[in-house]
Amino acid sequence: MRIMFVAVPLQGHLMPLIPLAAACRDAGHEVILASGGFPPDVLGLRTADIGARFSLERSALRAVLRHPRLARAEMRGGAGTSFVGEIFGRANLALVAPLLALAERERPDLIVYEPLSEAGAIVAGRLSIPSVLQENTLWPATELFRSVTTSSVLAGTDIPAPELTIAVCPPSLREPVGAEHVVMMRAVPCSGGGELPDWLGAPGDRPRVLVSHSTLNGPDTGDPSAAVITAADAVDAEFVLVRGRTRGTLPPNVRVVGRIPLDQALPHAAGFVHHAGAGSVLGGLAAGVPQMTTPGAGDRKHNADLLARRGAGLAVPAKAITAADLNRLLTDPALHAATREVAAEIAAMPAPESVVPALEKLVSA
């Protein structure tokens, strides 16, 4: 088969698709990633940049001007999927033409796209080929699909529903996707590159806490670094700021690293503090590491709430993190037990390679 994987040109959207794309390649199929802003490591997969005209900032600004009340709710994390549908409905308009041109050259038999890349569904419909919707967030993929396709910009556009939906959220964290044709797949963390220092490849002398933040810039990134630095002296742990933004002298138990493969560092960590992005939440759960998230705009409040309700994470505003919060992250037995339960649940879910036959069946049919 020739399979095209489509994501908007944002690394956090593309990276969750890479493990299944690599599994398809390893099964003997021709695979290409259609996106942009690619991370340093895409596991040797072919890539095609379709993002020359894509601008998340421009699309967001136009959505804010058209839907100011919804935008304010989004900044509080209370807009559900409505505002993100408006942003990405508009953003996808810039992807349809280059993706269609690429598809006409590549002639894919199947298109797999993430929930905010409905350009993939549009192009699949125009070529009369099957498409697959692969979940990459903690929102049900079908809800995001509906929000984008019914947005004010795309309403009335002919966008076929996917023949298959791949759900990755552990069932104990969220109700299963309510779609007719659904397969489950384990969310396999993909770091997108970076080198792991030797000292991060093994446990340290003290409990290690990884501290990370979003790859996107914006008015509310939820970066917990400043509060962690302030509280670090009062916690018996080693703190590692990933892509850290720091000023001045750091406490002796705080270190800064650049981009690293978090999936390789997390198994040796005792805690993970981050912005509540879906990829970070799922990566921490897969590694069985207790998490502290900073609720905020977009899906961050939703993600943090899901994790906290499951008992596998703490939700604390970025500027309010204290030494007591960090000590609880490291010592709360209920938190650690729930984290281990979800990690076992994820490990028992089907691996990407086991999903490949379902894709093959769509094309052979």
Side-chain angles (χ1 to χ4, degrees), residues 1-6 17-34 45-48 99 102-103 106-113 127 129-134 166 352 355-364:
M1 294 190 301
R2 295 183 298 275
I3 310 174
M4 182 175 291
F5 284 77
V6 181
L17 274 63
I18 291 176
L20 179 58
C24 290
R25 186 266 318 275
D26 294 344
H29 303 297
E30 296 181 29
V31 173
I32 187 168
L33 302 177
L45 295 162
R46 279 203 307 142
T47 62
L99 182 61
L102 175 67
E106 294 287 331
R107 306 308 302 177
D109 302 301
L110 177 71
I111 290 180
V112 181
Y113 61 97
L127 298 180
I129 60 174
S131 66
V132 173
L133 173 61
Q134 183 186 327
I166 300 171
V355 176
V356 176
L359 306 187
E360 295 169 339
K361 185 176 179 180
L362 287 176
V363 174
S364 63

Side-chain angles (χ1 to χ4, degrees), residues 137-215:
T137 75
L138 301 180
W139 280 111
T142 48
E143 287 189 21
L144 288 170
F145 177 86
R146 184 166 51 251
S147 292
V148 175
T149 56
T150 60
S151 64
S152 59
V153 176
L154 290 182
T157 305
D158 184 15
I159 306 177
E163 277 79 4
L164 183 71
T165 297
I166 300 171
V168 302
C169 188
S172 73
L173 208 65
R174 188 202 72 205
E175 289 294 322
V177 171
E180 184 179 355
H181 302 290
V182 178
V183 295
M184 298 296 295
M185 185 182 78
R186 180 191 317 155
V188 176
C190 181
S191 69
E195 294 187 7
L196 189 73
D198 290 342
W199 59 274
L200 276 176
D205 296 332
R206 290 195 286 181
R208 179 179 299 142
V209 179
L210 299 179
V211 183
S212 183
H213 57 88
S214 176
T215 55

Side-chain angles (χ1 to χ4, degrees), residues 8 13 28 53 78 99 120 136 175 200 247-248 294 315 319 339 342 360:
V8 295
H13 292 242
R53 297 177 55 214
L99 182 61
N136 64 350
E175 289 294 322
L200 276 176
R247 293 179 180 176
T294 61
K319 295 180 180 180
T339 300
V342 181
E360 295 169 339

Side-chain angles (χ1 to χ4, degrees), residues 169-176 184 285 306 309-312 338 341-343 345-346 349:
C169 188
S172 73
L173 208 65
R174 188 202 72 205
E175 289 294 322
M184 298 296 295
L285 288 171
L306 280 182
R309 283 200 298 269
R310 181 58 181 85
E341 290 170 3
V342 181
E345 182 183 9
I346 292 175
M349 294 172 70

